[in-house]
Amino acid sequence: MREYVITDFVYDGTPVRAAALFENGRMEELRAERRDETSLVGRVYRGVVDSVNRNIGGAFIDIGSGGRGAGENAQHRDGLVYMSVPRVLKRPEGSKEKKDRPHDMADIRPTLPVLVQITKDAVGPKQPVATENITLAGRYLVLTRFGGRMSFSQKLTDEQKDIIRTWIPKSERQGFHVLVRTNAGHADKGTVLAELARLRERMHLILEGGEDARTGTCLYEPEPLYESMYRDFRETPDRIITDIPLAADILAQNQKEARASGEQVQEALEDVSAGLIGHSGGRESLRPEIVAARLVNGLPLAEAFHLQENFDKLLQRVVWLKSGAFLVIEQTEAFVVIDVNTGRSSKGRIPEETYRRVNIEAVPEICRQIRLRNLSGEILVDFIKMKSEDHREELLHVMRKAVRRDYVRTEAVDLTALGILEMTRQKTSRPLADVLGK
């Protein structure tokens, strides 16, 4: 049973909104945000260049009072955000206008109006970070303002990529960059093109609205975290349970639109050219039961699904495995370190086999902890050192397979001679510990 739970509760004095996916009662995915802070990430503003710093290759953009946000962001009363500016940019082939590319140091100047999207909230004394390359994400595609190309998730097969290329010719992209997500590998032509049309229309509205808008105008706000998380699921949950009426309404509306789109696609499938890559994504799977209730089994949702206990465990350094082995997780400014220890695990008389078994057992829990804690950047996993090259290759293979489940781009790079596995995970938002102020 896959249950998607969305609720508000107070954790150690901090008001939190949590969206969590449980599989057979065990938390497997989590996104959380503070309800007393306003994140700017994803918002698009009409701004104006305040100043340019050519030494560091960047500019400060004034987005007015919209850049203040709440909580930690409130200290930025000047409403400035930082934007990196490339030194030299070539125009795309056939392009005659600067609007087809972001500004570079040759044409950036104070008072220049620009459209920017916030990519990172303020941290301490640092301003929020922004980019001109506006990005809109859907379930199957990501549309980016500049680039004009089409790229693919690494998790798609060559066959899937070849088929999707025939669906989205250059004319459908209309000069925008299209990234095809993993979910598109199990969708059909009609569904993918319908989403592309929606994203294009939204992008055009942003760009056209920005031409005449006043400085500081917010032209786009991203969907709530529970909606973006639901969009990213590769397998639709069996039930959605929430005590937030607005969340229930939004997800029900999304479900209704998906069902209508699926019915239209079913008719289109009579045309052989519509084709299927794998399966249609399962229109039945687009219909999870939505339960809008304040109580489950007589308990508030946070208690019924043990969110307090789950959060407590996710803030602890030590994570125990079933065998008696354990992980130690340390988050530093530069990177994350995860240490694998045999602990009380001593099954088997041959040490090498014990080390292999513990290392393999640790892999899925390491990936789960990384997802739930939202750890990112450079991650070093200190596995128990094994002498056998076959065991080392097996471990790297198992880890590379396990990270494919993560909706955030994650790569297991290499396993060193000392048994340290090097990983990278894309930074998308703050770690859970930072969100909770721990």
Side-chain angles (χ1 to χ4, degrees):
M1 172 67 76
R2 291 167 55 84
E3 297 174 299
Y4 183 35
V5 179
I6 307 162
T7 188
D8 294 334
F9 76 110
V10 177
Y11 178 79
D12 195 22
T14 300
V16 176
R17 172 160 293 177
L21 178 69
F22 291 83
E23 295 185 6
N24 299 321
R26 178 179 167 88
M27 185 187 287
E28 292 293 343
E29 306 284 350
L30 172 67
R31 293 189 193 179
E33 65 182 5
R34 294 178 64 118
R35 287 189 289 128
D36 58 353
E37 289 186 356
T38 300
S39 174
L40 302 180
V41 174
R43 294 186 181 186
V44 177
Y45 289 94
R46 160 73 179 234
V48 61
V49 178
D50 179 80
S51 59
V52 179
N53 190 325
R54 301 185 187 280
N55 292 328
I56 61 175
F60 290 94
I61 313 298
D62 182 3
I63 60 171
S65 60
R68 297 177 190 176
E72 191 175 22
N73 295 333
Q75 62 185 296
H76 300 289
R77 299 188 181 93
D78 51 10
L80 298 183
V81 299
Y82 174 77
M83 182 179 76
S84 179
V85 180
R87 296 197 177 279
V88 179
L89 269 181
K90 294 182 179 179
R91 290 187 177 88
E93 186 176 349
S95 170
K96 297 180 180 180
E97 301 184 35
K98 291 183 179 179
K99 68 179 183 180
D100 295 320
R101 61 176 178 84
H103 293 91
D104 60 20
M105 280 297 175
D107 47 42
I108 198 82
R109 65 184 188 280
T111 73
L112 179 73
V114 289
L115 293 186
V116 294
Q117 184 173 43
I118 310 302
T119 58
K120 186 177 181 181
D121 280 321
V123 178
K126 296 181 179 179
Q127 271 91 358
V129 177
T131 178
E132 283 191 272
N133 203 11
I134 298 167
T135 297
L136 302 176
R139 183 174 180 82
Y140 308 106
L141 305 169
V142 176
L143 190 71
T144 304
R145 180 182 180 184
F146 300 119
R149 300 180 298 106
M150 185 162 62
S151 56
F152 296 87
S153 164
Q154 294 180 346
K155 298 174 184 178
L156 292 170
T157 66
D158 290 340
E159 180 184 3
Q160 290 171 329
K161 294 175 184 178
D162 289 341
I163 294 176
I164 295 174
R165 283 191 184 95
T166 67
W167 294 356
I168 310 178
K170 190 174 182 179
S171 59
E172 289 288 339
R173 302 198 297 272
Q174 296 184 2
F176 299 125
H177 181 121
V178 175
L179 167 63
V180 181
R181 305 186 69 184
T182 305
N183 285 339
H186 300 291
D188 49 66
K189 180 179 180 180
T191 303
V192 171
L193 290 181
E195 180 172 273
L196 176 57
R198 290 194 299 271
L199 293 175
R200 281 201 321 257
E201 181 182 8
R202 189 175 301 165
M203 183 71 80
H204 283 304
L205 288 174
I206 292 171
L207 298 180
E208 292 170 3
E211 292 180 0
D212 301 319
R214 294 182 178 180
T215 298
T217 300
C218 181
L219 299 163
Y220 171 76
E221 288 195 40
E223 65 271 21
L225 89 162
Y226 54 79
E227 189 178 358
S228 63
M229 183 171 176
Y230 181 76
R231 180 197 66 205
D232 289 339
F233 287 149
R234 298 193 183 108
E235 294 181 39
T236 306
D238 301 299
R239 288 205 303 171
I240 299 172
I241 308 171
T242 182
D243 53 7
I244 304 172
L246 180 60
D249 291 344
I250 288 176
L251 293 176
Q253 180 62 30
N254 287 351
Q255 188 182 120
K256 181 178 179 180
E257 292 173 358
R259 187 180 300 122
S261 175
E263 291 170 354
Q264 294 173 0
V265 167
Q266 186 61 31
E267 297 177 3
L269 290 180
E270 295 177 3
D271 180 355
V272 177
S273 65
L276 287 179
I277 290 180
H279 59 77
S280 65
R283 282 187 294 128
E284 296 80 5
S285 69
L286 294 173
R287 306 177 183 181
E289 176 189 7
I290 298 180
V291 180
R294 296 183 62 185
L295 302 176
V296 171
N297 298 326
L299 296 172
L301 266 60
E303 293 184 32
F305 288 91
H306 309 288
L307 293 185
Q308 175 81 32
E309 295 88 334
N310 275 287
F311 275 44
D312 286 344
K313 291 179 180 178
L314 291 174
L315 295 176
Q316 293 175 357
R317 292 176 62 251
V318 178
V319 178
W320 289 95
L321 306 179
K322 289 183 178 180
S323 67
F326 64 93
L327 313 174
V328 178
I329 303 176
E330 296 279 3
Q331 185 174 354
T332 70
E333 286 286 336
F335 47 78
V336 176
V337 178
I338 302 176
D339 188 24
V340 182
N341 298 271
T342 55
R344 298 189 295 266
S345 178
S346 58
K347 295 180 181 179
R349 298 179 179 179
I350 304 175
E352 178 74 8
E353 184 57 34
T354 298
Y355 301 156
R356 172 190 169 276
R357 178 178 48 76
V358 170
N359 284 338
I360 296 297
E361 179 192 16
V363 168
E365 186 60 30
I366 289 171
C367 293
R368 175 175 176 266
Q369 292 292 324
I370 288 173
R371 292 195 309 272
L372 295 179
R373 298 177 187 229
N374 196 22
L375 304 175
S376 57
E378 296 181 6
I379 303 173
L380 304 179
V381 184
D382 187 6
F383 283 104
I384 303 168
K385 187 176 180 180
M386 298 180 295
K387 296 179 180 179
S388 169
E389 187 62 29
D390 289 341
H391 290 171
R392 290 160 51 81
E393 290 181 1
E394 177 191 23
L395 179 61
L396 184 58
H397 172 75
V398 170
M399 177 61 85
R400 284 175 171 167
K401 184 177 180 180
V403 299
R404 290 173 65 88
R405 173 172 180 170
D406 202 328
Y407 62 88
V408 175
R409 184 173 180 177
T410 307
E411 182 181 3
V413 180
D414 197 12
L415 185 65
T416 71
L418 296 178
I420 297 176
L421 190 139
E422 301 169 334
M423 298 177 61
T424 61
R425 187 170 186 264
Q426 184 179 0
K427 294 184 179 181
T428 57
S429 56
R430 292 188 293 168
L432 179 64
D434 288 357
V435 171
L436 300 176
K438 302 298 181 182

